[in-house]
Structure formats: C-alpha cells, structure tokens
C-alpha cells in the first residue's frame, strides 16, 4: 500500500543521498527492508524500475562503497583487537555497534531484493545493461563476506 504512494521511491532517493546514516533514529535501509518484507513483489518491481530509469547506477555504487568501507572497518577493528585485546572504550563500542547495525541492515536489504524469485531484479544485481558501467552487487557482497 505504501508503495503506491511513492514511499519506496522516496526512500530509495533518501538512501542514495545519505547512505546508511540514520535520520531521526531511522535509517533509509530500515524503511526499505520493511517495505520489502515477505518478498513484496510490488516493491521489488518499483525498485527494479527505479534502478532501470537511472542512467548511472548510483545505488549500486553506493552499496559497493559502503561494503568496502564496512570491510575496512572490520579489518581495522580486528587488527585493533589483536593488538590491544578487547577494549572497553565507550566511543569505540558505539562506533562498532553502529557499523554492525549498518552491515546487518545492508545485507538484509540485499537479501530481500532477491526473495520472491523476481528474476529480473536478481539478474540486474549482477549486471546493469545499458548503463555507463555495471556494479556486480553479488560479487561485491561475496568479497565483503570474505573479510569476515
């Protein structure tokens, strides 16, 4: 129902503008995840059309950059842990919690894009024909998972 009022497109636009940063306590990815729950085919179609209409794969570039940023944080956090042990630093703990929350939200968003077997969108995650270049989101996600 919310999709028919343009909420999906507005939330995608917001995500492209702010990424995983939370606005008023709620991240755009949280909203998108809720819209996509249970393989909502209408929302998947809206996302697919949104992505196809854009001449530049901004959403996928953003996802790739966020996965790379998160992977770097995980590597640095692991190195810090190996060097100093578990540090009970409130600032570090809050930063760590924020990054882990963002990771979970992003991976769940990608999962929900694939549920319901909307094959066009699943293929589009790997290659975006007719664009200046493509971002293989499946490959980028696999590369990220290797950092864990």
């Amino acid at each position: 129902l919310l999709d028919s009022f343009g909420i999906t497109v507005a939330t995608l636009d917001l995500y492209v503008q702010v990424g995983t940063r939370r606005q008023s306590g709620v991240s755009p990815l949280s909203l998108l995840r809720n819209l996509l729950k249970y393989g909502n085919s209408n929302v998947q179609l809206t996302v697919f059309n949104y992505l196809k209409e854009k001449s530049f794969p901004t959403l996928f570039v953003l996802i790739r950059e966020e996965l790379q940023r998160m992977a770097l944080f995980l590597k640095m956090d692991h190195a810090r842990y190996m060097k100093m042990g578990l540090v009970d630093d409130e600032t570090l703990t809050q930063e760590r919690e924020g990054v882990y929350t963002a990771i979970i939200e992003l991976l769940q968003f990608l999962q929900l894009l694939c549920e319901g077997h909307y094959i066009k969108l699943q293929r589009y995650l790997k290659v975006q024909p007719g664009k200046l270049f493509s971002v293989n989101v499946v490959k980028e996600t696999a590369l990220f998972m290797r950092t864990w």
Side-chain angles (χ1 to χ4, degrees), residues 17-28:
Q17 291 174 12
V18 301
T20 55
R21 293 188 310 266
R22 293 185 170 273
Q23 301 295 311
S24 303
V26 178
S27 77

Side-chain angles (χ1 to χ4, degrees), residues 85-142:
L86 188 58
V87 178
D88 191 23
D89 177 330
E90 189 173 326
T91 304
L92 180 60
T93 301
Q94 288 176 348
E95 181 184 8
R96 186 179 289 129
E97 287 175 6
V99 171
Y100 285 125
T101 298
I103 289 169
I104 291 166
E105 287 181 348
L106 182 56
L107 293 177
Q108 286 178 340
F109 170 65
L110 293 172
Q111 172 192 355
L112 290 167
L113 286 179
C114 296
E115 287 185 355
H117 304 290
Y118 187 59
I119 198 72
K120 286 182 179 181
L121 183 54
Q122 291 173 1
R123 288 183 181 146
Y124 206 75
L125 289 171
K126 291 196 297 189
V127 64
Q128 299 86 51
K131 304 296 180 200
L132 297 172
F133 65 91
S134 283
V135 175
N136 185 337
V137 177
V138 175
K139 178 182 172 187
E140 296 297 332
T141 304

Side-chain angles (χ1 to χ4, degrees), residues 2 6 25 37-39 43 56 60 64 67-69 71 75-76 83 96 103 106 110 118 128 134 138:
L2 292 174
K37 273 205 172 144
Y38 313 111
V43 175
F56 189 77
F60 292 154
R64 179 182 62 201
L67 286 170
Q68 290 170 348
R69 181 182 55 81
K75 287 177 186 176
M76 289 173 38
K83 183 177 179 182
R96 186 179 289 129
I103 289 169
L106 182 56
L110 293 172
Y118 187 59
Q128 299 86 51
S134 283
V138 175

Side-chain angles (χ1 to χ4, degrees), residues 2-3 5-21 23 27-36 40 42-54 56-63 66 106 109-110 112-113 121 124-125:
L2 292 174
D3 184 58
F5 291 109
I7 299 298
T8 303
V9 171
T11 307
L12 285 164
D13 284 338
L14 180 63
Y15 177 65
V16 167
Q17 291 174 12
V18 301
T20 55
R21 293 188 310 266
Q23 301 295 311
S27 77
L29 278 181
S30 264
L31 296 171
L32 287 166
R33 281 186 8 244
N34 285 320
L35 290 166
L36 280 162
N40 189 323
N42 291 335
V43 175
Q44 288 177 330
L45 179 61
T46 300
V47 171
F48 178 68
N49 289 333
Y50 175 90
L51 295 169
K52 282 189 71 170
E53 289 172 5
K54 304 294 178 183
F56 189 77
T58 307
L59 180 71
F60 292 154
V61 170
L62 177 62
I63 289 171
E66 292 205 347
L106 182 56
F109 170 65
L110 293 172
L112 290 167
L113 286 179
L121 183 54
Y124 206 75
L125 289 171

